[in-house]
Amino acid sequence: MTMAHSEYDYDLFVIGAGSGGVRASRIAAGHGARVAVAEEFRIGGTCVIRGCVPKKLLVYASQFADDLAHASDYGWTIEGARFDWPALRDAVARDVDRLNAAYTRTLDSNKVDHFLERAEITGPNSVRLKQSGRTITAGTILVATGAWPVMPEFPGAEHCITSNEVFHLETLPSRVVVAGAGYIAMEFAGIFNALGCDVTIVNRSAKILRGYDTDLSDRLLAITRARGIAYRFDASFEGVEKQEDGSLLVHLGDGGEPVPADVVLVATGRRPNTAGLGLETAGITLGAHGEIPVDSDGRTACPTIFAVGDVTDRVQLTPVAIREGHAFADARFGGKATSVSYDAIPSAVFSQPPLAAVGLTEAEARDRYENVRVFTSDFRPMKNVFSERIERGYYKLVVDGATDRILGIHMIGPDAPEILQAAAIAVKAGLTKADFDATVALHPSMAEELVLMR
């Protein structure tokens, strides 16, 4: 066990009280370490305060629009249905407040001190709190400051918002332009589209959801176009002009007409939140995108400073940050050598319809293996039987032909993320296509398609 010396104010000082920082703090304190955390905004971090949790609540709300539209097909008569954006916005804000309080109680119950102000590193074992000016020393410093939305430079960028501000819109916009086509862009485009807004996605390339299997992204593109989302591909922002009536006009570099909008949401990526942290005072050089290089234990170039989560050069996912924080605390303060495995990490896009994946895409598998077998199921989900929109689900198994081991699972359709979580266990465990074939189907369900592909 590597405990710090008593001459320091704390054994561990954590900068950032998000998912990774809170987990590391709680576990380290449980091992007997004296721990403090500094957080300049709200305890809970991006995921809880302005990311995946409130966004998922918006997704649920927007899906009611589709369910209500088809309710009559199932015998329901619903009169006077209307949507109230302020009611939803405020309900989501109240839940964020609840979670912020819950995370704060977690720190308190584990006797972790917390400072609601920005902290900057002033050396290998010291930080300075910006508002109070107080200097605090610690045997170990953990940086868990996460990432921040990127706002590119173009004329009129000040009129645009990012995913940080989207949860606080005063009114529901009639016209939304979304810059980018990654998972954040596609999720918010789906939300606004379902709530009745006119949505245009602008992207520099002609591909959405880079990194996901092409069969899934191509299908999502076709479905969202059929649902009314417009796309301007191979287009860059030339500028955003504010009109006399307060609306916006988006000028693009593709030679086409400008796009009118009430809200322009820029979702072109996230950058590690390292600006002004003072890492250079401890001899730490950042990567090209502002990320902190770390070794397999989360250690930086300075032996007393560690980093976990989105601020590092690893995987930007909340569950990964939690595991890294836990492993760090166990190894540093609990005497437990723990490593984090980065293979077979499941991920999902809560688009409409959602998609989910784990393991290698077909293209990745063919690059690494000589004999790759692919099994697919293209089906109409029972949930969509009465719908006028012909939206089909699609599942794909990518298999190593030499060993029969499943290398990847890729799914698009209703409830795909919920199904994928269980299926990811099979990929992580190294199960084979024969194992899937030997499993009896659960009928009628969409998930049964996973064991019926031949």
Side-chain angles (χ1 to χ4, degrees):
M1 183 162 73
T2 309
M3 294 293 289
H5 298 97
S6 58
E7 68 260 24
Y8 298 117
D9 297 322
Y10 293 98
D11 299 315
L12 172 64
F13 194 95
V14 180
I15 304 178
S19 297
V22 169
R23 176 60 65 89
S25 301
R26 177 173 69 81
I27 300 303
H31 289 311
R34 296 168 298 135
V35 183
V37 178
E39 171 54 58
E40 65 178 333
F41 185 53
R42 301 184 75 185
I43 290 173
T46 292
C47 181
V48 169
I49 304 300
R50 52 196 171 198
C52 41
V53 171
K55 178 183 63 186
K56 186 69 176 292
L57 294 175
L58 296 186
V59 170
Y60 282 140
S62 65
Q63 287 175 339
F64 276 100
D66 205 40
D67 292 339
L68 289 170
H70 300 141
S72 60
D73 294 326
Y74 288 90
W76 288 91
T77 299
I78 300 176
E79 297 177 351
R82 66 181 185 86
F83 175 68
D84 186 336
W85 166 260
L88 171 62
R89 178 200 62 208
D90 295 347
V92 170
R94 285 193 298 272
D95 196 61
V96 168
D97 290 342
R98 177 187 66 82
L99 290 167
N100 171 236
Y103 272 67
T104 304
R105 285 194 301 272
T106 295
L107 294 179
D108 289 337
S109 63
N110 286 276
K111 297 181 172 55
V112 175
D113 293 342
H114 41 88
F115 304 97
L116 291 179
E117 53 182 306
R118 180 178 176 83
E120 297 175 356
I121 294 170
T122 54
N125 296 100
S126 62
V127 301
R128 182 175 58 247
L129 301 180
K130 189 170 183 180
Q131 280 80 0
S132 64
R134 176 183 173 185
T135 295
I136 296 175
T137 61
T140 300
I141 297 171
L142 176 67
V143 181
T145 49
W148 197 256
V150 172
M151 178 63 77
E153 293 185 7
F154 54 82
E158 67 274 13
H159 304 310
C160 304
I161 65 171
T162 69
S163 57
N164 285 351
E165 298 81 36
V166 72
F167 301 103
H168 308 293
L169 295 174
E170 288 191 18
T171 59
L172 183 67
S174 298
R175 303 162 300 179
V176 179
V177 170
V178 180
Y183 75 96
I184 295 174
M186 296 305 300
E187 288 171 340
F188 280 113
I191 289 167
F192 285 119
N193 171 253
L195 293 178
C197 310
D198 290 330
V199 178
T200 301
I201 290 177
V202 178
N203 195 39
R204 283 181 172 273
S205 72
K207 182 173 175 55
I208 68 172
L209 296 178
R210 187 178 60 216
Y212 280 88
D213 194 274
T214 302
D215 285 344
L216 267 60
S217 57
D218 287 349
R219 182 157 301 209
L220 182 63
L221 175 59
I223 291 175
T224 52
R225 272 180 164 153
R227 288 194 177 200
I229 295 179
Y231 288 86
R232 293 281 289 269
F233 285 134
D234 298 313
S236 58
F237 271 43
E238 295 290 308
V240 175
E241 179 185 359
K242 192 161 190 176
Q243 306 296 287
E244 289 186 5
D245 63 359
S247 67
L248 304 172
L249 196 60
V250 181
H251 298 275
L252 304 176
D254 61 355
E257 290 293 317
V259 184
D262 302 298
V263 164
V264 177
L265 170 62
V266 176
T268 52
R270 296 175 62 81
R271 185 180 293 271
N273 195 12
T274 52
L277 272 182
L279 291 159
E280 68 282 355
T281 65
I284 298 171
T285 301
L286 299 176
H289 302 290
E291 74 277 13
I292 301 177
V294 292
D295 65 14
S296 59
D297 296 320
R299 183 183 281 102
T300 69
C302 176
T304 56
I305 298 180
F306 293 71
V308 297
D310 292 3
V311 77
T312 70
D313 54 355
R314 297 185 290 199
V315 179
Q316 291 193 348
L317 288 173
T318 296
V320 173
I322 291 172
R323 291 211 169 200
E324 289 176 348
H326 199 131
F328 155 79
D330 275 347
R332 189 71 171 168
F333 299 101
K336 303 177 183 177
T338 308
S339 61
V340 177
S341 172
Y342 295 93
D343 69 305
I345 296 175
S347 66
V349 181
F350 295 100
S351 49
Q352 301 188 38
L355 56 87
V358 64
L360 301 181
T361 65
E362 180 181 349
E364 289 170 339
R366 294 196 185 282
D367 282 342
R368 301 186 196 183
Y369 294 85
E370 291 184 5
N371 181 9
V372 173
R373 301 167 67 205
V374 174
F375 300 85
T376 63
S377 178
D378 190 329
F379 60 96
R380 188 173 187 180
M382 184 179 290
K383 183 179 181 181
N384 295 344
V385 165
F386 293 150
S387 174
E388 294 181 359
R389 292 199 304 254
I390 310 299
E391 293 186 356
R392 300 181 65 82
Y394 181 82
Y395 296 175
K396 173 189 280 191
L397 299 181
V398 180
V399 180
D400 178 4
T403 64
D404 200 41
R405 184 167 61 93
I406 295 179
L407 303 174
I409 302 177
H410 309 274
M411 311 167 64
I412 182 170
D415 300 320
E418 302 293 343
I419 299 168
L420 191 278
Q421 175 66 85
I425 299 172
V427 178
K428 182 68 175 176
L431 298 187
T432 63
K433 179 64 167 61
D435 292 321
F436 272 51
D437 294 345
T439 304
V440 175
L442 192 161
H443 181 76
S445 71
M446 292 176 291
E448 69 178 312
E449 297 296 328
L450 288 172
V451 300
L452 297 178
M453 299 183 212
R454 299 290 189 269

